[in-house]
Amino acid sequence: MMVIAIILLILVGIVAFLNMEMTTLNLYFASFDFPLWLILVGFLLIGMLVAALFALSKGARNREVIKNKNKELDKAEKFRDNEIDRVKKESEAQLELQKKEAEIQGLNSRLASLEKNQTNQKNEKVSTVQTTNAKNNPSASKDILVEEYHIDGTTTDKSKK
């Protein structure tokens, strides 16, 4: 960029050196006599000033657009971060729910097996049969003692002769 500016400056210097004669500049309200090189340099400076003003206004618009885009980007990043946090929380809650469901299934199966065992024990009667000979009566009569044990710890005695 700087090289182009130097080349243009050299070209303007050559044109100005070749145009040294006096020229009349006529405006609507007045006319002036100036050397031609001064008029060329003056219009070149005016053109550079107008170009600089356009560049500044375009740069200001670009900065405003960049500022707005950065705000949009910040909003999008915040939204993305919020969504990531929400998804993380949902996945953690889902994992916790799965753990709890597995724990509930384990406890339910354990409860079912305990209930089954309890039902089997209630339905099962353990009977003990003892046969004793009567000491007082050496005869052939025998007493049979039957005891039933229940899960609740009670016993029932039934004697048979």
Coordinates of all heavy atoms in Angstrom, one line a residue, residues 78-144:
K78 N -23.9 -17.6 24.9 CA -24.6 -17.7 26.1 C -25.7 -18.7 26.0 O -25.9 -19.6 26.9 CB -25.1 -16.4 26.6 CG -24.1 -15.5 27.1 CD -24.7 -14.1 27.6 CE -23.6 -13.1 28.0 NZ -24.2 -11.8 28.4
F79 N -26.5 -18.7 24.9 CA -27.5 -19.6 24.7 C -27.0 -21.0 24.5 O -27.5 -22.0 25.1 CB -28.3 -19.2 23.4 CG -29.4 -20.2 23.0 CD1 -30.6 -20.2 23.8 CD2 -29.3 -21.1 22.0 CE1 -31.6 -21.0 23.5 CE2 -30.3 -22.0 21.7 CZ -31.5 -22.0 22.4
R80 N -25.9 -21.2 23.8 CA -25.2 -22.5 23.7 C -24.8 -23.0 25.0 O -25.0 -24.2 25.4 CB -24.0 -22.4 22.7 CG -23.3 -23.7 22.5 CD -22.0 -23.6 21.9 NE -21.1 -22.9 22.9 CZ -20.1 -22.2 22.6 NH1 -19.7 -22.1 21.4 NH2 -19.3 -21.7 23.6
D81 N -24.1 -22.1 25.8 CA -23.7 -22.6 27.1 C -24.9 -23.0 28.0 O -24.8 -24.0 28.8 CB -22.9 -21.5 27.8 CG -21.5 -21.2 27.1 OD1 -21.1 -22.1 26.4 OD2 -21.0 -20.1 27.3
N82 N -26.0 -22.2 28.0 CA -27.1 -22.6 28.8 C -27.7 -23.9 28.3 O -28.1 -24.7 29.1 CB -28.2 -21.5 28.7 CG -27.8 -20.2 29.4 OD1 -27.0 -20.2 30.3 ND2 -28.4 -19.1 29.0
E83 N -27.8 -24.1 27.0 CA -28.3 -25.4 26.5 C -27.4 -26.5 26.9 O -27.9 -27.6 27.2 CB -28.4 -25.3 25.0 CG -29.6 -24.4 24.5 CD -30.9 -24.9 25.0 OE1 -31.2 -26.1 24.8 OE2 -31.6 -24.1 25.6
I84 N -26.1 -26.3 26.9 CA -25.1 -27.4 27.3 C -25.4 -27.7 28.7 O -25.4 -28.9 29.1 CB -23.7 -26.9 27.0 CG1 -23.4 -27.0 25.5 CG2 -22.7 -27.8 27.8 CD1 -22.0 -26.4 25.1
D85 N -25.5 -26.7 29.6 CA -25.8 -26.9 31.0 C -27.1 -27.6 31.2 O -27.2 -28.6 32.0 CB -25.8 -25.6 31.8 CG -24.4 -24.9 31.9 OD1 -23.4 -25.7 31.7 OD2 -24.3 -23.7 32.1
R86 N -28.1 -27.2 30.5 CA -29.4 -27.9 30.6 C -29.3 -29.4 30.2 O -29.8 -30.2 30.9 CB -30.4 -27.2 29.7 CG -31.9 -27.7 29.8 CD -32.8 -27.0 28.9 NE -32.5 -27.2 27.5 CZ -32.7 -28.3 26.8 NH1 -33.3 -29.3 27.3 NH2 -32.4 -28.3 25.5
V87 N -28.7 -29.6 29.1 CA -28.5 -31.0 28.6 C -27.7 -31.8 29.6 O -28.0 -33.0 29.9 CB -27.9 -31.1 27.2 CG1 -27.5 -32.5 26.8 CG2 -28.9 -30.5 26.2
K88 N -26.6 -31.2 30.2 CA -25.9 -31.9 31.2 C -26.7 -32.3 32.4 O -26.7 -33.4 32.9 CB -24.7 -31.1 31.7 CG -23.5 -31.1 30.7 CD -22.4 -30.2 31.3 CE -21.2 -30.2 30.3 NZ -20.1 -29.3 30.8
K89 N -27.5 -31.3 32.9 CA -28.4 -31.6 34.0 C -29.4 -32.6 33.7 O -29.7 -33.5 34.6 CB -29.1 -30.3 34.5 CG -28.1 -29.3 35.1 CD -28.8 -28.0 35.5 CE -27.9 -27.0 36.1 NZ -28.5 -25.7 36.3
E90 N -30.0 -32.6 32.5 CA -31.0 -33.6 32.1 C -30.3 -35.0 32.1 O -30.9 -35.9 32.5 CB -31.6 -33.2 30.8 CG -32.6 -32.1 30.9 CD -33.2 -31.8 29.5 OE1 -32.8 -32.5 28.5 OE2 -34.0 -30.8 29.4
S91 N -29.1 -35.1 31.5 CA -28.5 -36.4 31.4 C -28.1 -36.9 32.8 O -28.2 -38.1 33.0 CB -27.2 -36.3 30.5 OG -26.3 -35.4 31.0
E92 N -27.6 -36.0 33.7 CA -27.3 -36.4 35.0 C -28.5 -36.9 35.7 O -28.5 -37.9 36.4 CB -26.6 -35.2 35.8 CG -25.2 -34.9 35.4 CD -24.7 -33.7 36.0 OE1 -25.4 -33.0 36.7 OE2 -23.5 -33.3 35.7
A93 N -29.7 -36.2 35.5 CA -30.9 -36.6 36.2 C -31.4 -37.9 35.6 O -31.9 -38.8 36.3 CB -32.0 -35.5 35.9
Q94 N -31.2 -38.1 34.3 CA -31.6 -39.4 33.7 C -30.7 -40.5 34.2 O -31.2 -41.6 34.5 CB -31.4 -39.3 32.1 CG -31.9 -40.4 31.4 CD -33.4 -40.5 31.4 OE1 -34.1 -39.5 31.6 NE2 -34.0 -41.7 31.3
L95 N -29.4 -40.3 34.4 CA -28.5 -41.3 34.9 C -28.9 -41.6 36.4 O -29.0 -42.8 36.8 CB -27.1 -40.9 34.9 CG -26.4 -40.9 33.5 CD1 -25.0 -40.3 33.6 CD2 -26.3 -42.3 33.0
E96 N -29.2 -40.6 37.1 CA -29.7 -40.8 38.5 C -31.0 -41.6 38.5 O -31.1 -42.5 39.4 CB -29.8 -39.4 39.2 CG -30.1 -39.5 40.7 CD -28.9 -40.1 41.5 OE1 -27.7 -39.9 41.0 OE2 -29.1 -40.7 42.5
L97 N -31.9 -41.3 37.6 CA -33.1 -42.0 37.6 C -32.9 -43.4 37.2 O -33.6 -44.3 37.8 CB -34.1 -41.3 36.5 CG -35.4 -41.9 36.3 CD1 -36.2 -41.8 37.6 CD2 -36.2 -41.2 35.2
Q98 N -32.0 -43.7 36.3 CA -31.7 -45.1 35.9 C -31.1 -45.8 37.1 O -31.5 -47.0 37.3 CB -30.8 -45.1 34.7 CG -31.4 -44.7 33.4 CD -30.4 -44.6 32.3 OE1 -29.2 -44.7 32.5 NE2 -30.9 -44.4 31.1
K99 N -30.2 -45.2 37.8 CA -29.7 -45.8 39.0 C -30.8 -46.2 40.0 O -30.8 -47.2 40.6 CB -28.6 -44.9 39.7 CG -27.3 -44.8 38.9 CD -26.4 -43.9 39.6 CE -25.1 -43.7 38.8 NZ -24.2 -42.7 39.4
K100 N -31.6 -45.2 40.2 CA -32.7 -45.4 41.2 C -33.7 -46.5 40.7 O -34.1 -47.3 41.5 CB -33.5 -44.1 41.4 CG -32.7 -43.0 42.1 CD -32.4 -43.3 43.5 CE -31.7 -42.2 44.2 NZ -31.3 -42.4 45.5
E101 N -34.0 -46.5 39.4 CA -34.8 -47.6 38.9 C -34.2 -49.0 39.1 O -34.8 -49.9 39.4 CB -35.2 -47.3 37.5 CG -36.2 -46.2 37.3 CD -36.5 -45.9 35.8 OE1 -35.8 -46.5 34.9 OE2 -37.4 -45.1 35.6
A102 N -32.8 -49.0 38.8 CA -32.1 -50.3 39.0 C -32.2 -50.7 40.5 O -32.3 -51.9 40.8 CB -30.7 -50.2 38.5
E103 N -32.0 -49.7 41.4 CA -32.0 -50.0 42.8 C -33.4 -50.5 43.2 O -33.6 -51.4 44.0 CB -31.7 -48.8 43.6 CG -31.6 -49.0 45.1 CD -31.2 -47.7 45.8 OE1 -30.8 -46.7 45.2 OE2 -31.3 -47.7 47.0
I104 N -34.5 -49.8 42.7 CA -35.8 -50.3 43.0 C -36.1 -51.7 42.4 O -36.7 -52.5 43.1 CB -36.8 -49.2 42.3 CG1 -36.8 -47.9 43.1 CG2 -38.3 -49.8 42.3 CD1 -37.6 -46.8 42.5
Q105 N -35.6 -52.0 41.3 CA -35.8 -53.3 40.7 C -35.1 -54.4 41.6 O -35.7 -55.4 41.9 CB -35.3 -53.4 39.3 CG -36.2 -52.8 38.3 CD -35.6 -52.8 36.9 OE1 -34.4 -53.1 36.7 NE2 -36.4 -52.6 35.9
G106 N -33.9 -54.0 42.0 CA -33.2 -55.0 42.9 C -33.9 -55.2 44.2 O -34.1 -56.3 44.7
L107 N -34.5 -54.1 44.8 CA -35.2 -54.2 46.0 C -36.5 -54.9 45.8 O -36.9 -55.7 46.7 CB -35.5 -52.8 46.6 CG -34.3 -52.0 47.2 CD1 -34.6 -50.6 47.5 CD2 -33.7 -52.8 48.4
N108 N -37.2 -54.7 44.7 CA -38.4 -55.4 44.4 C -38.2 -56.9 44.3 O -38.9 -57.7 44.8 CB -39.1 -54.9 43.1 CG -39.8 -53.6 43.4 OD1 -40.2 -53.3 44.5 ND2 -40.1 -52.8 42.3
S109 N -37.1 -57.3 43.6 CA -36.8 -58.7 43.4 C -36.4 -59.3 44.8 O -36.8 -60.5 45.1 CB -35.7 -58.9 42.4 OG -34.5 -58.3 42.9
R110 N -35.7 -58.6 45.6 CA -35.4 -59.1 46.9 C -36.6 -59.2 47.8 O -36.8 -60.2 48.5 CB -34.4 -58.1 47.6 CG -33.9 -58.6 49.0 CD -32.8 -57.6 49.5 NE -32.5 -58.0 50.9 CZ -32.0 -57.2 51.8 NH1 -31.8 -56.0 51.4 NH2 -31.8 -57.7 53.0
L111 N -37.5 -58.2 47.7 CA -38.8 -58.3 48.4 C -39.6 -59.5 48.0 O -40.2 -60.2 48.8 CB -39.6 -57.0 48.2 CG -40.9 -56.9 48.9 CD1 -40.8 -57.0 50.4 CD2 -41.6 -55.6 48.5
A112 N -39.7 -59.7 46.6 CA -40.4 -60.9 46.1 C -39.8 -62.2 46.6 O -40.6 -63.1 47.0 CB -40.4 -60.8 44.6
S113 N -38.5 -62.3 46.6 CA -37.9 -63.5 47.1 C -38.2 -63.7 48.6 O -38.4 -64.8 49.1 CB -36.4 -63.6 46.8 OG -35.7 -62.6 47.6
L114 N -38.1 -62.6 49.4 CA -38.4 -62.7 50.8 C -39.9 -63.1 51.1 O -40.2 -63.9 51.9 CB -38.1 -61.4 51.5 CG -36.7 -61.0 51.7 CD1 -36.5 -59.6 52.3 CD2 -36.0 -62.0 52.6
E115 N -40.8 -62.5 50.3 CA -42.2 -62.9 50.4 C -42.4 -64.3 50.0 O -43.2 -65.0 50.6 CB -43.1 -61.9 49.5 CG -43.2 -60.6 50.1 CD -44.0 -59.6 49.1 OE1 -44.2 -60.0 47.9 OE2 -44.4 -58.6 49.6
K116 N -41.7 -64.8 49.0 CA -41.9 -66.2 48.6 C -41.4 -67.1 49.7 O -42.0 -68.1 50.0 CB -41.1 -66.4 47.3 CG -41.2 -67.8 46.7 CD -40.4 -67.9 45.4 CE -40.5 -69.3 44.9 NZ -39.7 -69.5 43.7
N117 N -40.2 -66.7 50.3 CA -39.7 -67.5 51.4 C -40.7 -67.6 52.6 O -40.9 -68.6 53.2 CB -38.3 -67.0 51.9 CG -37.2 -67.4 50.9 OD1 -37.4 -68.2 50.0 ND2 -36.1 -66.6 51.0
Q118 N -41.2 -66.4 52.9 CA -42.2 -66.3 54.0 C -43.4 -67.1 53.7 O -43.9 -67.9 54.6 CB -42.5 -64.9 54.3 CG -43.4 -64.7 55.5 CD -43.7 -63.2 55.7 OE1 -43.5 -62.4 54.9 NE2 -44.2 -62.9 56.9
T119 N -43.9 -67.1 52.5 CA -45.1 -67.9 52.1 C -44.8 -69.3 52.2 O -45.6 -70.1 52.7 CB -45.5 -67.5 50.7 OG1 -45.7 -66.1 50.6 CG2 -46.8 -68.2 50.3
N120 N -43.6 -69.7 51.7 CA -43.2 -71.1 51.8 C -43.1 -71.6 53.2 O -43.5 -72.7 53.6 CB -41.9 -71.4 51.1 CG -42.0 -71.3 49.6 OD1 -43.1 -71.4 49.0 ND2 -40.9 -71.1 48.9
Q121 N -42.6 -70.7 54.1 CA -42.4 -71.1 55.5 C -43.8 -71.2 56.2 O -44.0 -72.0 57.1 CB -41.5 -70.1 56.2 CG -40.0 -70.3 55.8 CD -39.1 -69.3 56.5 OE1 -39.6 -68.4 57.2 NE2 -37.8 -69.4 56.3
K122 N -44.7 -70.3 55.8 CA -46.0 -70.3 56.4 C -46.8 -71.6 56.0 O -47.5 -72.2 56.8 CB -46.8 -69.1 56.0 CG -46.5 -67.9 56.8 CD -47.4 -66.7 56.4 CE -47.1 -65.5 57.2 NZ -48.0 -64.4 56.9
N123 N -46.6 -71.9 54.7 CA -47.3 -73.1 54.2 C -46.7 -74.4 54.7 O -47.3 -75.4 54.7 CB -47.4 -73.1 52.7 CG -48.3 -71.9 52.2 OD1 -49.1 -71.5 52.9 ND2 -48.0 -71.5 51.0
E124 N -45.4 -74.3 55.0 CA -44.7 -75.5 55.4 C -44.9 -75.7 56.9 O -44.7 -74.8 57.7 CB -43.2 -75.3 55.2 CG -42.5 -76.3 54.4 CD -41.1 -75.9 54.2 OE1 -40.4 -75.7 55.1 OE2 -40.7 -75.8 53.0
K125 N -45.3 -76.9 57.3 CA -45.4 -77.2 58.7 C -44.4 -78.3 59.0 O -44.3 -79.3 58.3 CB -46.8 -77.6 59.1 CG -47.8 -76.6 59.0 CD -49.1 -77.1 59.4 CE -50.1 -75.9 59.3 NZ -51.5 -76.4 59.7
V126 N -43.6 -77.9 59.9 CA -42.6 -78.9 60.3 C -43.2 -79.7 61.5 O -43.6 -79.2 62.5 CB -41.3 -78.2 60.8 CG1 -40.3 -79.3 61.2 CG2 -40.7 -77.4 59.6
S127 N -43.3 -81.0 61.2 CA -43.9 -81.8 62.3 C -42.8 -82.8 62.8 O -42.0 -83.3 62.0 CB -45.0 -82.7 61.7 OG -46.0 -81.8 61.2
T128 N -42.9 -82.9 64.0 CA -42.0 -83.8 64.6 C -42.8 -84.9 65.3 O -43.7 -84.6 66.1 CB -41.1 -83.1 65.7 OG1 -40.4 -82.0 65.0 CG2 -40.1 -84.0 66.3
V129 N -42.5 -86.0 65.0 CA -43.2 -87.1 65.6 C -42.3 -87.9 66.6 O -41.2 -88.2 66.2 CB -43.8 -88.1 64.5 CG1 -44.5 -89.2 65.2 CG2 -44.7 -87.3 63.6
Q130 N -42.7 -88.0 67.8 CA -41.9 -88.8 68.7 C -42.8 -89.9 69.2 O -44.0 -89.7 69.6 CB -41.5 -87.9 69.9 CG -40.5 -86.9 69.5 CD -40.0 -86.1 70.8 OE1 -40.7 -86.1 71.8 NE2 -38.9 -85.4 70.7
T131 N -42.3 -91.0 69.3 CA -43.0 -92.1 69.8 C -42.3 -92.5 71.1 O -41.1 -92.6 71.2 CB -42.9 -93.3 68.9 OG1 -43.3 -92.9 67.6 CG2 -43.7 -94.4 69.3
T132 N -43.1 -92.5 72.1 CA -42.5 -92.9 73.4 C -43.3 -94.1 74.0 O -44.5 -94.3 73.8 CB -42.6 -91.7 74.4 OG1 -44.0 -91.4 74.6 CG2 -41.8 -90.6 74.0
N133 N -42.6 -94.9 74.7 CA -43.3 -96.0 75.4 C -43.6 -95.5 76.8 O -42.9 -94.8 77.4 CB -42.3 -97.2 75.5 CG -42.1 -97.9 74.2 OD1 -42.9 -97.8 73.4 ND2 -40.9 -98.4 74.0
A134 N -44.8 -95.9 77.2 CA -45.2 -95.5 78.5 C -44.4 -96.3 79.5 O -44.3 -97.5 79.5 CB -46.7 -95.8 78.7
K135 N -43.8 -95.7 80.5 CA -43.0 -96.3 81.5 C -43.9 -97.0 82.5 O -43.6 -98.0 83.1 CB -42.1 -95.3 82.2 CG -41.0 -94.8 81.3 CD -40.1 -93.9 82.0 CE -39.0 -93.4 81.1 NZ -38.1 -92.5 81.7
N136 N -45.0 -96.3 82.8 CA -45.9 -96.9 83.8 C -46.6 -98.1 83.3 O -47.0 -99.0 84.0 CB -46.9 -95.8 84.2 CG -46.2 -94.7 85.0 OD1 -45.1 -94.8 85.4 ND2 -46.9 -93.6 85.1
N137 N -46.9 -98.1 82.0 CA -47.7 -99.2 81.4 C -46.8 -99.9 80.5 O -46.6 -99.5 79.3 CB -48.9 -98.6 80.8 CG -49.8 -99.7 80.3 OD1 -49.6 -100.9 80.5 ND2 -50.9 -99.3 79.7
P138 N -46.2 -101.0 80.8 CA -45.4 -101.8 79.9 C -46.2 -102.5 78.8 O -45.6 -103.3 78.1 CB -44.7 -102.8 80.8 CG -45.5 -102.9 82.0 CD -46.3 -101.6 82.1
S139 N -47.4 -102.2 78.7 CA -48.2 -102.8 77.7 C -47.8 -102.3 76.3 O -46.9 -101.5 76.2 CB -49.7 -102.6 78.0 OG -50.0 -101.2 77.8
A140 N -48.5 -102.7 75.4 CA -48.2 -102.4 74.0 C -48.7 -101.1 73.6 O -48.6 -100.7 72.4 CB -48.8 -103.5 73.1
S141 N -49.3 -100.4 74.5 CA -49.9 -99.1 74.1 C -48.7 -98.0 74.0 O -47.8 -98.0 74.8 CB -50.9 -98.6 75.1 OG -50.3 -98.3 76.3
K142 N -48.8 -97.3 73.0 CA -47.8 -96.3 72.8 C -48.4 -94.9 72.6 O -49.5 -94.8 72.1 CB -47.0 -96.6 71.5 CG -46.2 -97.8 71.5 CD -45.4 -98.0 70.2 CE -44.6 -99.2 70.2 NZ -43.9 -99.4 69.0
D143 N -47.8 -93.9 73.1 CA -48.2 -92.5 73.0 C -47.4 -91.9 71.9 O -46.2 -91.9 71.8 CB -48.1 -91.7 74.3 CG -49.0 -92.2 75.3 OD1 -50.0 -92.7 75.0 OD2 -48.6 -92.0 76.5
I144 N -48.1 -91.2 71.0 CA -47.4 -90.4 69.9 C -47.6 -89.0 70.2 O -48.7 -88.5 70.4 CB -48.0 -90.8 68.5 CG1 -47.8 -92.3 68.3 CG2 -47.4 -89.9 67.5 CD1 -48.5 -92.7 67.0

